[in-house]
C-alpha cells in the first residue's frame, strides 16, 4: 500500500471545531471527547453518556471512506460508532456554516441530529429527531 500524499479536504478539516472535551446535557448526559488521528483524515469521538438510565460508551470514527483499491475518497463524511454493548451505528456528517447535521444511516434519513454552534464555538445546541416522534434536545459545552 502506498502512502497517501493528499491531505484531508476542507470539509473534513472543518470538523476541527469539534476537537476537545465536551459536557453533554439534555436527553443524554455525560461527556464526549474528539481528537484527530495522525494525518488528520479521521476524527475519533470517545463517548461516555447515560441515556434513559442506560450507559452508552464507545467510540466513533469520522471521515471519508477510502476502500481498499479506491483511488479517491467518497463524497460524504461518514462515521461508524462502536459501542460497549456490541452495537454499531453508521452516520453521515454535514457541516454547513455553523450548523452540524448528523444523519442516522444515510443522508436524508428521518433520524438525525441538527445543531448550531455558538459564535464562540464553545457550545453546540440542537436536537435529535427520530421517525414517528421522540428525540430529545441536546447541548454540548466545551470543557477544554
Amino acid at each position: 500500500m502506498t502512502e497517501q500524499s493528499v491531505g484531508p479536504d476542507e470539509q473534513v478539516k472543518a470538523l476541527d471545531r469539534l476537537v476537545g472535551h465536551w459536557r453533554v446535557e439534555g436527553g443524554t448526559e455525560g461527556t464526549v471527547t474528539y481528537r484527530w488521528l495522525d494525518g488528520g483524515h479521521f476524527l475519533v469521538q470517545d463517548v461516555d453518556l447515560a441515556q434513559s438510565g442506560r450507559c452508552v460508551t464507545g467510540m466513533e470514527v469520522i471521515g471519508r471512506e477510502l476502500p481498499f483499491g479506491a483511488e479517491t475518497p467518497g463524497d460524504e463524511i461518514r462515521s461508524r460508532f462502536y459501542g460497549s454493548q456490541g452495537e454499531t451505528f453508521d452516520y453521515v456528517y454535514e457541516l454547513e456554516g455553523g450548523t452540524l447535521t448528523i444523519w442516522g444511516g444515510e443522508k436524508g434519513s428521518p433520524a438525525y441530529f441538527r445543531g448550531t454552534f455558538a459564535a464562540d464555538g464553545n457550545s453546540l445546541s440542537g436536537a435529535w429527531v427520530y421517525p414517528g416522534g421522540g428525540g430529545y434536545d441536546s447541548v454540548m459545552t466545551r470543557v477544554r
Side-chain angles (χ1 to χ4, degrees):
M1 217 149 101
T2 61
E3 184 175 319
Q4 188 174 3
S5 60
V6 177
D9 62 66
E10 292 304 313
Q11 288 180 323
V12 172
K13 288 180 186 177
L15 295 176
D16 193 59
R17 67 191 328 168
L18 289 168
V19 171
H21 188 73
W22 300 78
R23 182 179 66 249
V24 179
E25 298 174 298
T28 59
E29 305 281 331
T31 61
V32 296
T33 302
Y34 292 88
R35 60 185 166 78
W36 288 108
L37 287 181
D38 288 345
H41 293 275
F42 296 98
L43 191 61
V44 175
Q45 177 185 199
D46 296 306
V47 175
D48 187 4
L49 300 170
Q51 181 179 23
S52 302
R54 188 175 142 254
C55 287
V56 179
T57 59
M59 57 90 70
E60 180 180 20
V61 179
I62 306 159
R64 295 203 192 271
E65 293 178 341
L66 184 63
F68 186 76
E71 295 291 322
T72 58
D75 292 335
E76 296 175 328
I77 298 174
R78 296 187 162 273
S79 76
R80 174 159 285 176
F81 173 81
Y82 300 89
S84 62
Q85 301 299 310
E87 67 273 36
T88 58
F89 302 125
D90 294 325
Y91 300 97
V92 174
Y93 275 63
E94 286 186 309
L95 181 58
E96 294 181 16
T99 301
L100 175 65
T101 304
I102 305 170
W103 301 100
E106 298 294 328
K107 184 176 176 179
S109 167
Y112 63 90
F113 168 83
R114 183 164 292 133
T116 304
F117 283 94
D120 66 4
N122 288 322
S123 67
L124 176 66
S125 300
W128 280 96
V129 176
Y130 297 130
Y136 55 88
D137 291 338
S138 179
V139 177
M140 288 190 349
T141 305
R142 189 184 311 273
V143 177
R144 61 180 186 272

